[in-house]
Each structure stands twice: as structure tokens, then as C-alpha cells.
Amino acid sequence: KELAEEWSELKAEEFPETQSPGPSLQIQGVAALSPRAFLGSHEPNLKASFSLGSLHAALDGDDGKPALEASLVAVTAELTTFADSSSQGDVKMGYFWVLDSVPSGTPRVQRLLVHSELPRPAESYAQTGYNILGSLEDAGALRLGFSSASLARITVNVTPEEVEIDAKLESLEVHYNPEAVKATMAFALGMLKPKDSGIVVSAPEPVKRAASDVSSQASFSSQDRAIRALKASRPGAGQQKLRLSASFGSLRFNMNSALDDEPLFLLGLVRMKLKLAQDGNGLKMDASLDDLSVSTPAANDRVHDSYKIILGLAPGVTSSLVSIAYFKSTPPPPGLFFTEADAELTAPYTGFEGCDTFAHVTLSKIRFVHLQAQLLMLVQYVQEGILDVLADPSSALGADQLGEVSAIPEETPPALFKVSASVFEILLPEHPSNPSHISLQTSELHVVHHNLANGTGGRSFVELRDLVIVDDAKKLMCEP
């Protein structure tokens, strides 16, 4: 109570009503509980909440003005602890953006590097001076008590037996310009790099301890080891289970031109999900991605509408693009490994005993549009505009470090990987603006890979069925 009163007085002095509200802190607690209510009860004994109106960080340029800014708005957190040693936490994050004002020597149309969902489209902020905080204030996002999960929400439940985490990231959008990112990285690294001040700092002389101090420290160390041993000897110690559930609504990665900052390609990821469970017996994981697409801008009138999605789910497909089932040190469900089709593909090989890791990747129908000039431009952009820009030679591993990283442990159990894919379609257009095309389609892809123990090699079995060629009128041009 005293802490709350002091905080209220401090907030009234530092954050008057005429200014944006400052951070608030609310703590509710129970001073004491009767032994009967305490033992084994799920009554809350502490509740704490925290809200942050806005957090702003900036690196100033040589002119003293902000050159690189990051902002986080409307964050709320709640923590509740219970009498049975369990606890629950909930964090909500409203809005996030990074604004890049570093001079790059090339035209800039969009200076937002990355941002969550905002009240208005990013293009409108580029035309009105990036007054994002003002638009959020008009929408009431800076009011005390405002709560939003437009960016993310994370919930954590902890019990003596289990830790359960549920993380949901709603959406992020990235505006990538190779020249701009190169200039921004150089600026940030230059600002963060420690500068030589000419001051020599000498190491302090070692402190000589008295014999009584040494014996006291040894006594505390022995007590600490005894307490740790007692905790470890308790039933179930070290067997706390972990359950993780994570989802990502959408990610848009805009690949803009280095010449005029206009969009060239767009990478989109839609609805990614991950579920993980780990205990003393092993690990299980399920992951899925509903859709991944690489496309050209909708306003590109040089390419026919049916060719603008270069890679992605085939039209009419509603299932997930990719789903992965992974098992470590625990057997997979019956029927997933090893099926009759797998045995038929891998016969007469039968050396699959002792596998410790299993993974099954399932792919839905994927369509790829092959336009030579467009494909070459995309490959060049990824190679020169992304990989070469982001690569940092100073962080490259030396030959000795590389050898350590790539070293294979002495004992690794065998692993079994399986890939099942339905139709894969390749479109070959007659002309970028002409709807006439031919299509190459496969009906099934089946892969089984056995990774041998101790890194001694592996065996792969691949089967591709029913390759057909049809034209845009669905007329069969070639059959298997």
C-alpha cells in the first residue's frame, strides 16, 4: 500500500495530466493466508499489473536529429501467483515500428523498415511525415488502461509439474531496400562500435582474503551444494514438462528496388503454427505453414494476372502448404512410420532399427511460374541485394572454429526422415502478358531418407509418379 501511494505521488509530479500518461504500476497482494487456505489451494496470493504507454529509442545522426528510431506502444503485463506454487503471466504488445532516416544516397519512398499493424497503411504515413504516434494518440492508444494485442500476446502458465507457453504474433511487415539497409547497418555498427578514448585502464590488484573469509566462503559453498542435492533428490525433480504453442498470423517482406525504392517482389507467409511438448521421455513437435508466396506487385501490367504469383499454393488448394511432424527420443504414432508404401519403396533394405529421431514433412500442391527474365531478376536480388548485404565478413568463422562447429558428436543415433508431396506444377508461359502456357504436373512425390548412426552416411529412396504435360485448355500433350 505504501509503495502504491508513493508511486501515485511520483506519477503526479513527473507526469501531469497535460502530458502523455507515464508508466503505471499496480500491485495487489494478500498479506497472509490461513494454513488451511494455503495448503494445496489455488487462491491467488499476489497480483501485479504493469502498463507502458510508449517506449521510444533513437540513435542520433551527426546533425543531432534522430537517424534510427524504434517505438513500442501500449504494452500491458499481468502476473498472478497462487498459493499452490503456480503462477500465470500475460503480456500484450500493441504497436511496434522502426523508422529509418539514415541518408543512403538513393531515392527513398518508404522509410519504415519494419512495423506491426498500424491504424493506417504505411504508404499514408510516408506522405504525412510518419506521425504514427499522433495517429495512435488520436485512436486512444496512449490512454491509461488501453490494451491491445495488435503485435503480440504471450501467456505463460507455470506449475511445479509443467510450464505452458502460448505465444501469438499477429503480423509484421518489412520494407527492404538493399542500399538503405546497407547504409543503416553501417550507421548502426559505427554508432555501437566502442571508440578508443586514449584512456588506459589497469586491472585492479587481487584482493587478499583472510583465512576466516575463505573458510566462510567454503562453508557457504558446501551449504549451497547440500541444498541443491536435496532439491534434486525430491521426487519429480528436473522432470518439469514444457508445452509451447506459437502462432504467427502473417509476414509481408517487400523487396524494393535500390534505384527508386519501388516494389519488385513480395514474400508472404500466412498462418504459421508450432506446437511443442517436451518431458523427460523426449520431444514432440508439430509445425505447419498455411501459405508461402513469392509474387510481383499487383500493379505490374507487364505480367498477366495468372503469372504474378511466382511460387505458392496452387489455385483452389485450401490445405496447409507445409506440415511437419517431428519426434525425438519418443516413438511416433502408429501408421506414420513405417507404412506399407515406405516398405515397398525401400525394399529390400531393412536396416531401420534403432532410430531415435523421426520427421515427416507433408507438402500440398505447389505451383511455380517460370518466366526466365523474372526468375533471373529474383535470384540476382536475393543473392546481391539480400545475402551479400546482410553477410558480415567480420563475423565469419575461422577455419578452426568452423571445424569445431561442424564436428559430428562421437555417438549419434540413426534418424529417419520422410517427405510426402502431392502434385507439383510448373507453368511455362508462352509470353509474360499472354495467358497461353503449358503445364508440367506430377501426381506424387515420395522420399524416405535414413541417416546412419555416428554420421557415417545415409540412404535416400525417392519415387516420382505420373509426370504429365497439359496446355492452358487442359488438353493432354504428354502422358506417362
Side-chain angles (χ1 to χ4, degrees), residues 71 85 116 188 204 209 212 345 433 466 476:
S71 300
S85 300
S116 64
R209 299 180 181 270
S212 59
L345 174 62
S433 59
D466 299 339
L476 191 64

Side-chain angles (χ1 to χ4, degrees), residues 177-211:
N177 180 310
E179 291 298 326
V181 171
K182 187 185 299 182
T184 302
M185 290 178 61
F187 169 78
L189 292 175
M191 292 289 294
L192 299 177
K193 182 179 180 181
K195 298 180 180 179
D196 186 7
S197 60
I199 302 176
V200 179
V201 180
S202 58
E205 292 291 333
V207 178
K208 296 182 179 180
R209 299 180 181 270

Side-chain angles (χ1 to χ4, degrees), residues 359-438:
H360 186 195
V361 180
T362 304
L363 301 174
S364 296
K365 182 178 179 181
I366 302 173
R367 191 177 78 161
F368 171 69
V369 178
H370 183 275
L371 288 173
Q372 184 72 10
Q374 186 172 257
L375 181 59
L376 291 176
M377 183 185 297
L378 177 61
V379 172
Q380 183 181 12
Y381 189 99
V382 173
Q383 176 63 44
E384 299 179 6
I386 299 179
L387 299 180
D388 290 351
V389 170
L390 298 181
D392 184 7
S394 63
S395 64
L397 294 175
D400 53 344
Q401 294 174 308
L402 186 60
E404 294 177 1
V405 172
S406 60
I408 299 175
E410 292 184 0
E411 294 185 4
T412 56
L416 186 61
F417 304 98
K418 178 180 172 182
V419 177
S420 301
S422 57
V423 179
F424 186 88
E425 181 181 10
I426 301 177
L427 241 62
L428 303 175
E430 181 180 345
H431 188 273
S433 59
N434 191 332
S436 298
H437 64 269
I438 60 174

Side-chain angles (χ1 to χ4, degrees), residues 150-459:
S150 296
L151 173 61
R153 180 173 185 175
I154 303 173
T155 303
V156 181
N157 293 297
V158 180
T159 67
E161 298 81 19
E162 183 178 81
V163 176
E164 184 177 356
I165 303 174
D166 185 7
K168 296 179 180 178
L169 183 61
E170 295 300 330
S171 65
L172 276 180
E173 185 165 1
V174 179
H175 302 272
Y176 185 91
N177 180 310
E179 291 298 326
V181 171
K182 187 185 299 182
T184 302
M185 290 178 61
F187 169 78
L189 292 175
M191 292 289 294
L192 299 177
K193 182 179 180 181
K195 298 180 180 179
D196 186 7
S197 60
I199 302 176
V200 179
V201 180
S202 58
E205 292 291 333
V207 178
K208 296 182 179 180
R209 299 180 181 270
S212 59
D213 294 338
V214 176
S215 61
S216 176
Q217 183 179 7
S219 176
F220 279 118
S221 299
S222 61
Q223 293 177 15
D224 182 62
R225 287 194 298 269
I227 293 174
R228 291 182 181 181
L230 179 61
K231 290 181 178 180
S233 64
R234 291 176 178 174
Q239 300 297 321
Q240 194 175 40
K241 299 179 181 179
L242 171 64
R243 295 187 181 276
L244 171 64
S245 177
S247 63
F248 192 176
S250 64
L251 170 66
R252 288 172 56 91
F253 190 90
N254 300 278
M255 306 180 214
N256 297 338
S257 170
L259 298 178
D260 54 13
D261 206 28
E262 294 294 335
L264 293 177
F265 302 101
L266 170 64
L267 170 65
L269 302 177
V270 179
R271 290 182 297 275
M272 292 174 285
K273 298 178 183 178
L274 171 69
K275 288 187 177 181
L276 183 147
Q278 184 176 22
D279 54 21
N281 299 322
L283 181 147
K284 302 177 183 178
M285 184 190 74
D286 290 305
S288 65
L289 172 63
D290 281 6
D291 192 12
L292 178 150
S293 64
V294 180
S295 60
T296 58
N300 185 0
D301 55 2
R302 294 175 296 177
V303 178
H304 194 269
D305 289 344
S306 59
Y307 305 146
K308 288 182 178 179
I309 298 181
I310 304 172
L311 178 67
L313 271 177
V317 179
T318 58
S319 58
S320 297
L321 176 68
V322 180
S323 61
I324 302 173
Y326 179 85
F327 305 86
K328 175 71 174 178
S329 300
T330 184
L336 187 64
F337 293 95
F338 195 75
T339 65
E340 293 182 3
D342 298 330
E344 182 179 350
L345 174 62
T346 59
Y349 181 73
T350 58
F352 296 105
E353 295 80 8
C355 288
D356 181 70
T357 303
F358 303 85
H360 186 195
V361 180
T362 304
L363 301 174
S364 296
K365 182 178 179 181
I366 302 173
R367 191 177 78 161
F368 171 69
V369 178
H370 183 275
L371 288 173
Q372 184 72 10
Q374 186 172 257
L375 181 59
L376 291 176
M377 183 185 297
L378 177 61
V379 172
Q380 183 181 12
Y381 189 99
V382 173
Q383 176 63 44
E384 299 179 6
I386 299 179
L387 299 180
D388 290 351
V389 170
L390 298 181
D392 184 7
S394 63
S395 64
L397 294 175
D400 53 344
Q401 294 174 308
L402 186 60
E404 294 177 1
V405 172
S406 60
I408 299 175
E410 292 184 0
E411 294 185 4
T412 56
L416 186 61
F417 304 98
K418 178 180 172 182
V419 177
S420 301
S422 57
V423 179
F424 186 88
E425 181 181 10
I426 301 177
L427 241 62
L428 303 175
E430 181 180 345
H431 188 273
S433 59
N434 191 332
S436 298
H437 64 269
I438 60 174
S439 173
L440 284 72
Q441 301 179 7
T442 62
S443 63
E444 186 177 348
L445 174 66
H446 188 190
V447 179
V448 174
H449 176 77
H450 183 213
N451 204 34
L452 301 179
N454 304 327
T456 55
R459 291 174 178 265

